[in-house]
Amino acid sequence: MIEQLRKVWQRRELLWYIVRFQMKAEKKNKVLGFVWSFLDPLLLFLTYVILVHVIFQRGGPQFPVLLFIALLSWRWFASSLQRSVTSVTSKIGLVQSVRFPLAILPLSGIIIGFFDWLFGFVILLPMLFIFEASFTVNILWLPVLLLIEFVGIVGACLIFAVVGTYLSDLGNILQFLIRIGLYLSPILYSVKDVITDERLTMLYMLGNPFAGLLESYKNALIRGTPPSEYALVGAAVACVVFVIGLWYFSRSEYKLVKAI
């Protein structure tokens, strides 16, 4: 597994080349091009604000900004998984003509997703002032939370990249799972507003490792409080998924070349 990481580092120039090429390819035939990197999260955000905040009149005064940071982090996770499913099969020509560590392919999709997160963060910055976020030293937790999410995403994407090579229907299944996950995670709501019983809250947070991470983003960036203690659950799960994903991909890499 360590050898896999070393190989990826050695071919990092190829990784960045694929990232740049894929980002240009995704925006190439769109009239607004890279502007969609800002519009995509913004339009999705406005849809949920109108639905939840305006029509159903739910959520407090800071609901829009709480929603936006949660959506950004969820979209990074979801888009990375979706790209990973076809990351190997969509690059058949490259795989068959150049020898390189195949882990670069799902990793490139994760990096593109992170750039999308950064584009969305540009929109988030003025919102933090508009909705009077509490700026405290806890904002320094942001890089740690991003690292936890990155580690978990890498592990999950490595697994999905292998399975997606053999199971062409995985993309459709994943779309359904992502939709369910969005509603089961504290994105359109905050946990404390939905679950008041402490025992049920604990069961929910332990059963959904991503929940603690999303609440921690809200705490550190907007509420000015430390990350949720359940972020440790997310960190532990992320590390386990990373190790399993790296082991599974390293074990299956040679077979993938033959499978495509």
Side-chain angles (χ1 to χ4, degrees):
M1 292 191 294
I2 302 300
E3 181 66 15
Q4 182 73 248
L5 295 175
R6 186 184 66 82
K7 288 180 179 178
V8 170
W9 177 252
Q10 288 177 340
R11 300 302 300 272
R12 59 188 180 278
E13 287 106 6
L14 176 61
L15 171 61
W16 288 112
Y17 171 80
I18 293 175
V19 168
R20 290 194 300 269
F21 177 82
Q22 194 165 331
M23 287 183 71
K24 290 179 181 178
E26 288 183 1
K27 313 297 186 210
K28 184 178 180 181
N29 295 321
K30 297 179 180 179
V31 176
L32 297 179
F34 279 95
V35 176
W36 280 109
S37 297
F38 297 94
L39 287 180
D40 273 344
L42 187 59
L43 292 174
L44 184 62
F45 158 75
L46 290 174
T47 300
Y48 286 123
V49 166
I50 293 172
L51 179 65
V52 178
H53 202 51
V54 178
I55 297 178
F56 292 106
Q57 297 184 347
R58 298 293 180 88
Q62 288 187 320
F63 172 78
V65 70
L66 290 169
L67 169 66
F68 196 71
I69 183 57
L71 273 178
L72 281 184
S73 303
W74 178 259
R75 285 181 75 253
W76 181 21
F77 171 70
S79 65
S80 297
L81 286 184
Q82 289 173 323
R83 288 188 178 100
S84 71
V85 172
T86 58
S87 60
V88 178
T89 54
S90 63
K91 301 289 190 303
I92 295 178
L94 183 62
V95 172
Q96 293 178 340
S97 60
V98 181
R99 187 171 182 177
F100 64 96
L102 297 185
I104 283 178
L105 299 177
L107 190 57
S108 65
I110 298 171
I111 294 174
I112 292 172
F114 180 66
F115 277 120
D116 289 338
W117 188 95
L118 290 175
F119 289 133
F121 191 74
V122 172
I123 300 173
L124 177 68
L125 285 175
M127 292 177 63
L128 294 175
F129 294 94
I130 294 171
F131 293 97
E132 300 180 349
S134 299
F135 295 101
T136 68
V137 69
N138 288 302
I139 201 171
L140 297 177
W141 281 104
L142 179 60
V144 178
L145 298 175
L146 289 172
L147 178 61
I148 293 172
E149 184 170 1
F150 175 75
V151 169
I153 290 175
V154 170
C157 285
L158 289 175
I159 295 172
F160 276 82
V162 174
V163 179
T165 303
Y166 297 100
L167 183 62
S168 58
D169 293 335
L170 183 60
N172 301 91
I173 298 172
L174 184 60
Q175 283 184 357
F176 173 76
L177 294 177
I178 287 174
R179 194 174 297 117
I180 294 296
L182 184 143
Y183 295 120
L184 291 180
S185 299
I187 298 172
L188 302 177
Y189 52 86
S190 293
V191 176
K192 64 179 181 179
D193 296 332
V194 177
I195 308 175
T196 55
D197 184 80
E198 290 186 9
R199 186 175 180 182
L200 288 177
T201 299
M202 183 183 70
L203 291 174
Y204 169 78
M205 299 297 273
L206 291 175
N208 183 356
F210 211 86
L213 195 59
L214 291 175
E215 286 294 306
S216 295
Y217 278 118
K218 296 176 183 179
N219 287 353
L221 279 170
I222 300 162
R223 297 173 181 141
T225 58
S228 166
E229 62 270 25
Y230 293 103
L232 292 174
V233 177
V237 171
C239 290
V240 171
V241 172
F242 177 80
V243 172
I244 293 174
L246 191 58
W247 169 80
Y248 182 55
F249 194 91
S250 300
R251 182 172 171 267
S252 308
E253 184 175 16
Y254 179 71
K255 297 177 183 178
L256 290 180
V257 178
K258 290 186 174 181
I260 60 175

